[in-house]
């Protein structure tokens, strides 16, 4: 991509539905667009990184001299700046980036600042939120594992409490188990 003729505008994420998107502008017109809905267990950071990875993958298919990627996520930029990302997807992005012959510049743009590519990518993410879920190979965060384990433990505890033959009077006052309930001493 030469002299801003071609640019990938903001890989973006639709926060509530975990949709991800990016678009490519060439000579002021949309040249390529990509969007997908991801699993609800993916955190926003992962969804943003998926969009960036897909943009990098797209770049491997193109023969461009220079490309500018506009992002509105400081966290994803900081992750890549470390150059030894602990996330699997971060390492994959860095590997793709290192293998490219294209000069890639990643710049930070302010979100919702009426930057055309940013707005188009947001619209694509909203569009992607209504599609089918994309099967993406992204490690789930530890927080997701912790939440799922907590949920399963509470379900097992509730089932045992419901089927218990003792504690009937207590059950009348406290029918639902809850780890957040304050103990009365």
């Amino acid at each position: 991509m030469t002299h801003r003729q071609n640019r990938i505008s903001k890989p973006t994420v639709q926060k509530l539905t975990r949709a991800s998107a990016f678009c490519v502008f060439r000579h002021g017109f949309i040249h390529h667009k990509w969007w997908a809905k991801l699993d609800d267990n993916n955190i926003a950071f992962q969804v943003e990184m998926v969009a960036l990875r897909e943009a990098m993958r797209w770049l491997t298919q193109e023969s461009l001299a220079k490309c500018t990627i506009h992002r509105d996520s400081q966290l994803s930029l900081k992750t890549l700046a470390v150059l030894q990302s602990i996330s699997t997807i971060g390492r994959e992005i860095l590997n793709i980036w290192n293998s490219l012959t294209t000069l890639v510049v990643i710049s930070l743009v302010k979100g919702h600042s009426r930057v055309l590519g940013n707005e188009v990518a947001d619209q694509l993410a909203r569009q992607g939120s209504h599609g089918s879920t994309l099967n993406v190979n992204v490690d789930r965060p530890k927080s997701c594992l912790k939440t799922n384990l907590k949920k399963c433990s509470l379900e097992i505890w509730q089932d045992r409490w419901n089927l218990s033959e003792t504690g009937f009077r207590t059950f009348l006052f406290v029918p639902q188990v809850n780890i957040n309930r304050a103990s009365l001493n």
Side-chain angles (χ1 to χ4, degrees):
M1 296 185 183
T2 58
H3 307 293
R4 292 195 59 187
Q5 290 178 351
N6 301 311
R7 68 175 190 238
I8 296 177
S9 283
K10 189 195 145 198
T12 189
V13 55
Q14 184 66 23
K15 303 271 189 272
L16 298 175
T17 55
R18 303 292 187 232
S20 178
F22 77 87
C23 61
V24 178
F25 279 82
R26 202 174 259 178
H27 305 292
F29 295 98
I30 296 175
H31 174 72
H32 179 77
K33 50 189 175 180
W34 176 91
W35 65 91
K37 178 180 176 185
L38 282 82
D39 188 77
D40 290 338
N41 288 320
N42 293 115
I43 59 175
F45 168 76
Q46 291 174 314
V47 179
E48 295 230 9
M49 294 298 276
V50 165
L52 184 56
R53 180 184 68 187
E54 294 304 317
M56 291 290 192
R57 285 180 176 172
W58 178 84
L59 277 171
T60 63
Q61 306 300 314
E62 300 294 313
S63 56
L64 304 170
K66 183 179 179 185
C67 172
T68 302
I69 298 178
H70 299 284
R71 304 277 320 198
D72 71 352
S73 169
Q74 283 187 345
L75 182 58
S76 60
L77 291 177
K78 287 179 181 178
T79 299
L80 294 176
V82 173
L83 296 178
Q84 292 184 350
S85 177
I86 59 169
S87 73
T88 307
I89 194 165
R91 285 191 306 269
E92 186 177 349
I93 290 167
L94 290 172
N95 288 339
I96 294 170
W97 195 355
N98 288 334
S99 70
L100 289 173
T101 57
T102 304
L103 173 63
V104 179
V105 177
I106 299 179
S107 70
L108 184 66
V109 296
K110 197 172 191 177
H112 306 290
S113 59
R114 301 193 189 274
V115 173
L116 179 61
N118 192 24
E119 298 302 321
V120 171
D122 282 341
Q123 288 175 351
L124 289 172
R126 281 190 287 279
Q127 182 178 340
S129 69
H130 301 297
S132 59
T133 302
L134 180 68
N135 209 0
V136 177
N137 184 20
V138 180
D139 294 338
R140 290 189 176 172
K142 291 179 184 176
S143 60
C144 176
L145 178 62
K146 185 178 176 182
T147 302
N148 288 342
L149 285 173
K150 185 176 175 181
K151 182 179 173 186
C152 287
S153 297
L154 280 172
E155 287 174 2
I156 291 169
W157 186 14
Q158 184 66 51
D159 288 344
R160 287 182 179 172
W161 183 232
N162 290 343
L163 298 173
S164 177
E165 295 179 12
T166 61
F168 181 73
R169 287 187 187 181
T170 305
F171 184 83
L172 292 174
F173 294 101
V174 188
Q176 295 288 89
V177 297
N178 185 343
I179 61 171
N180 297 324
R181 187 171 289 131
S183 62
L184 302 172
N185 288 335

